[in-house]
Amino acid sequence: MRSMASSTSAKGIAAIVGVGPKLGRSIARKFAHEGYTVAILARDLGRLSRFADEIAREEKAQVFAIRIDCSDARSVREAFEGVLSLGFLEVLVYNAYQPVSWHPTNFTDIKIDSFEKSLAVSSLGAFLCAQQVLPGMVERGRGTILFTGCSASVNGIAGFSELCCGKFALRALSQCLAREFQPLGVHVAHIIIDGVIGPPR
């Protein structure tokens, strides 16, 4: 974990899982701008640290870069030990997915390890991250978990079985958690982003 400051915001921590150069970085910047201490998590710690430096400098915020492999339970547990050591987690945004080709893949050509990895990152990773943060949120009686989805979350698309199956499972998980934890004060939402996100302008 790379620390960008010594103390955390009174607003609490916003953890953004799956931070790349587009949506994840923009979400992290928004929470930093709103006064949260931000933990950004992804596999590439070098790139993540550059994002943390950039956001901390531009938003005068506290930003922590933490490596995570969402398909690996031990990696998720260790990453959230770092996140939760920063203070109370107010918001978790799960934005991770396994990149797939934008060209359709014939179903019979999909390799099982590729299919399993996509499921693991899209849905198992969300499950693992939620298990790490929900006990603290329930104990405090508040918190927010946001899962990002896409059109593949609600529509099966020919040639994109890997992506659709993982995203369908993520949507189901979010609905189950919303119904279980809303009465306990935790807000859970699944947000569909139905379009391609371009580079920053």
Side-chain angles (χ1 to χ4, degrees):
M1 179 174 71
R2 182 170 179 181
S3 172
M4 303 303 298
S6 58
S7 60
T8 56
S9 164
K11 279 197 169 184
I13 311 300
I16 320 301
V17 178
V19 174
K22 298 177 182 178
L23 180 60
R25 182 168 61 168
S26 295
I27 294 171
R29 180 178 282 111
K30 178 62 174 175
F31 276 102
H33 183 76
E34 295 297 324
Y36 289 83
T37 296
V38 177
I40 57 176
L41 300 91
R43 282 175 291 196
D44 186 341
L45 186 58
R47 183 172 73 166
L48 204 60
S49 296
R50 291 193 296 275
F51 293 161
D53 288 339
E54 171 193 292
I55 296 168
R57 182 178 62 254
E58 293 177 359
E59 301 298 338
K60 306 291 190 294
Q62 301 164 92
V63 184
F64 298 80
I66 302 173
R67 188 189 181 281
I68 193 171
D69 177 351
C70 294
S71 67
D72 182 81
R74 180 177 177 179
S75 176
V76 172
R77 184 176 65 252
E78 291 175 349
F80 274 88
E81 286 174 359
V83 171
L84 297 175
S85 73
L86 300 174
F88 66 91
L89 186 74
E90 195 66 42
V91 181
L92 168 66
V93 179
Y94 192 85
N95 183 54
Y97 77 101
Q98 181 69 13
V100 297
S101 170
W102 288 111
H103 300 289
T105 302
N106 291 331
F107 179 74
T108 53
D109 293 334
I110 297 173
K111 305 299 183 190
I112 189 167
D113 58 340
S114 177
F115 187 81
E116 288 176 339
K117 184 73 169 181
S118 184
L119 284 176
V121 175
S122 288
S123 55
L124 175 61
F127 167 87
L128 293 169
C129 291
Q131 280 202 329
Q132 292 295 313
V133 306
L134 275 166
M137 290 181 173
V138 169
E139 183 179 348
R140 291 193 315 278
R142 73 175 195 269
T144 299
I145 300 177
L146 304 175
F147 299 105
T148 62
C150 58
S151 55
S153 303
V154 292
N155 296 305
I157 305 168
F160 292 93
S161 298
E162 295 167 87
L163 179 65
C164 293
C165 288
K167 287 297 188 180
F168 264 61
L170 176 62
R171 179 165 57 94
L173 175 67
S174 67
Q175 291 178 356
C176 292
L177 296 182
R179 286 165 173 78
E180 181 174 352
F181 290 99
Q182 185 276 333
L184 302 177
V186 181
H187 176 63
V188 181
H190 180 247
I191 301 165
I192 302 289
I193 301 168
D194 192 6
V196 177
I197 298 174
R201 291 186 286 179

